Amino acid sequence: MLIGQVAGEIFSTINHPVLDNWRLLVVDRLDETGAPTGGYLIALAAVDAGVGQRVLVLDEGNGARQVLADPTAPVRSVVVGVVDSVDLA
Amino acid sequence: MLIGQVAGEIFSTINHPVLDNWRLLVVDRLDETGAPTGGYLIALAAVDAGVGQRVLVLDEGNGARQVLADPTAPVRSVVVGVVDSVDLA
Amino acid sequence: MLIGQVAGEIFSTINHPVLDNWRLLVVDRLDETGAPTGGYLIALAAVDAGVGQRVLVLDEGNGARQVLADPTAPVRSVVVGVVDSVDLA
Amino acid sequence: MLIGQVAGEIFSTINHPVLDNWRLLVVDRLDETGAPTGGYLIALAAVDAGVGQRVLVLDEGNGARQVLADPTAPVRSVVVGVVDSVDLA
Amino acid sequence: MLIGQVAGEIFSTINHPVLDNWRLLVVDRLDETGAPTGGYLIALAAVDAGVGQRVLVLDEGNGARQVLADPTAPVRSVVVGVVDSVDLA
């Protein structure tokens, strides 16, 4: 699991039907101090989050399908939480 | 999940039979602004897409098999959508 | 599996319910000599560990769900041990 | 899935029994133009291929076990096709 | 799957119980010529191997659990063979 920041949204009309039911977020990967690492991933908004918010992302298919309660969903990455704070010692 | 661009197609005659039923696309990985990152993957065209089109790719085996409706398919990467637009804030 | 060092904790109130039941640790990845590699991951504390402790982390979803005894948990990374020593020849 | 080139073979006598039934190929990873990327993987020859041949490799465990028709096989990477041509636009 | 070399062992007393039943090896990743790549992983010794030996490592959870014959084991990486030779053309 990793920390990301919502950078935007992706739109697709010709696609697998399950993708019509969820917002598809562009999420920048952050390091643990909150700085972007340069990478990103496309994640379904299982927890609602807006642009600029820091989020916890699960990048694993079987768990993602459990979150969506859809055992056939073609997904790998979902937003599972909004990050309130990261406390580093 | 990631954004890619169809760069071409791969042909194989000696192969696992399931691969005869689907086009095998060469997909360049793109960053979120649409620039190529230098990487690629080979993905089945579960959603039809032509050279130059931007696509959403799922890179995870169990979900890929669900998309193909074939629980025994030896696949990991499938095109699950054509990208209309990427809106970055 | 990899060796990490607990760097802190992440807090989230708006999230998938299972994440309320476990501490979410920020774990720095270490190389085998104990030096940080620059990477990190967010892992559930299936074994209790405090800041600064070296831990063994499992980064794989199906095994992580077994550790939590929750087949629906949206997780991928869990702390499965506290490292006493690493003996290199 | 990725394109590779068979570079050689690996031999092992003390091993998990399933590995006795398949050739273990050393496969160099290629980029989409056919140039080596510097990486490699060890893959079972589910489709027969000789040194120098370009192959399509599946790098995912559950699909690999389906190809071998052995649900308990400790494998992740298998050669699933010989590449005839890669057509880039 | 990849080729590695056993570099040492890791010890942990506070851990998930299944980890008490297996030696936890530190395995350096090798390239196909036998040179270290700088990476490592922690793997269970499903096949016995000593420091300095070259081994074949499976880095995939479901297959690893099959090797250990324990469907609940929190593991991802196991040593599945000792390498006798790598023949490159």
Side-chain angles (χ1 to χ4, degrees):
Chain A
M1 294 171 300
L2 59 102
I3 307 171
Q5 186 170 35
V6 180
E9 203 163 338
I10 182 173
F11 297 93
S12 166
T13 45
I14 302 174
N15 61 26
H16 189 279
V18 77
L19 300 180
D20 290 330
N21 301 330
W22 299 90
R23 290 170 60 220
L24 281 169
L25 302 179
V26 180
V27 180
D28 291 330
R29 292 170 179 265
L30 301 182
D31 70 17
E32 65 192 51
T33 69
T37 66
Y40 78 99
L41 39 74
I42 306 296
L44 274 72
V47 166
D48 202 41
V51 167
Q53 279 193 296
R54 280 190 301 169
V55 291
L56 183 65
V57 182
L58 172 69
D59 185 35
E60 191 260 341
N62 294 338
R65 281 181 282 279
Q66 292 287 349
V67 172
L68 307 183
D70 178 348
T72 70
V75 297
R76 174 172 164 160
S77 312
V78 293
V79 171
V80 291
V82 173
V83 172
D84 298 332
S85 65
V86 180
D87 284 10
L88 300 178
Chain B
M1 292 171 299
L2 58 103
I3 307 170
Q5 185 170 36
V6 180
E9 202 163 340
I10 181 174
F11 297 94
S12 166
T13 44
I14 302 174
N15 61 24
H16 189 279
V18 77
L19 300 180
D20 290 330
N21 302 330
W22 300 88
R23 288 171 61 220
L24 282 169
L25 302 179
V26 180
V27 180
D28 291 329
R29 293 168 179 265
L30 301 181
D31 70 18
E32 64 192 52
T33 70
T37 66
Y40 78 100
L41 39 72
I42 306 296
L44 273 71
V47 166
D48 201 40
V51 168
Q53 279 193 296
R54 280 190 301 169
V55 291
L56 183 65
V57 182
L58 171 68
D59 184 37
E60 192 260 340
N62 294 337
R65 280 181 282 278
Q66 292 287 348
V67 172
L68 306 183
D70 178 347
T72 69
V75 296
R76 173 173 166 160
S77 312
V78 292
V79 171
V80 291
V82 173
V83 173
D84 298 332
S85 66
V86 179
D87 285 9
L88 299 177
Chain C
M1 294 171 299
L2 58 102
I3 307 170
Q5 185 170 36
V6 181
E9 203 164 336
I10 183 174
F11 297 93
S12 165
T13 44
I14 303 174
N15 61 25
H16 188 280
V18 76
L19 300 180
D20 290 332
N21 301 329
W22 298 89
R23 290 170 61 219
L24 282 169
L25 301 180
V26 180
V27 179
D28 291 330
R29 291 170 180 264
L30 301 182
D31 70 18
E32 64 193 52
T33 70
T37 66
Y40 78 99
L41 40 72
I42 306 296
L44 274 72
V47 166
D48 202 41
V51 168
Q53 278 192 298
R54 280 190 302 169
V55 291
L56 182 66
V57 181
L58 172 70
D59 185 36
E60 192 259 341
N62 294 337
R65 281 181 282 280
Q66 292 288 350
V67 173
L68 306 183
D70 178 349
T72 70
V75 296
R76 173 172 165 160
S77 313
V78 293
V79 171
V80 291
V82 173
V83 174
D84 298 331
S85 65
V86 180
D87 284 9
L88 299 177
Chain D
M1 293 171 298
L2 59 102
I3 306 171
Q5 186 170 34
V6 180
E9 202 163 338
I10 182 174
F11 297 93
S12 166
T13 44
I14 303 174
N15 61 24
H16 188 279
V18 77
L19 300 180
D20 289 332
N21 302 330
W22 298 89
R23 288 171 61 220
L24 282 168
L25 301 180
V26 180
V27 180
D28 290 331
R29 292 169 180 266
L30 302 181
D31 70 18
E32 64 193 51
T33 70
T37 66
Y40 79 99
L41 40 72
I42 305 297
L44 273 71
V47 166
D48 201 41
V51 167
Q53 279 192 298
R54 279 190 302 169
V55 290
L56 182 65
V57 182
L58 172 68
D59 185 35
E60 193 259 340
N62 294 337
R65 279 180 284 279
Q66 292 288 348
V67 173
L68 306 183
D70 179 347
T72 69
V75 297
R76 171 173 168 161
S77 313
V78 292
V79 171
V80 291
V82 173
V83 173
D84 298 331
S85 65
V86 180
D87 285 9
L88 299 177
Chain E
M1 293 170 299
L2 58 102
I3 307 171
Q5 186 170 36
V6 180
E9 203 164 338
I10 182 174
F11 297 93
S12 166
T13 45
I14 303 175
N15 61 24
H16 188 279
V18 76
L19 301 180
D20 289 332
N21 302 329
W22 299 89
R23 288 171 60 219
L24 282 168
L25 301 180
V26 180
V27 179
D28 291 329
R29 291 169 180 265
L30 301 182
D31 70 18
E32 64 193 52
T33 70
T37 66
Y40 79 99
L41 40 71
I42 305 296
L44 274 69
V47 166
D48 202 40
V51 168
Q53 278 192 298
R54 281 190 302 168
V55 291
L56 182 66
V57 181
L58 171 69
D59 185 36
E60 193 259 341
N62 293 338
R65 280 181 283 279
Q66 292 287 349
V67 173
L68 306 183
D70 178 349
T72 69
V75 296
R76 171 172 167 161
S77 313
V78 292
V79 171
V80 291
V82 173
V83 173
D84 298 331
S85 64
V86 180
D87 284 9
L88 299 177

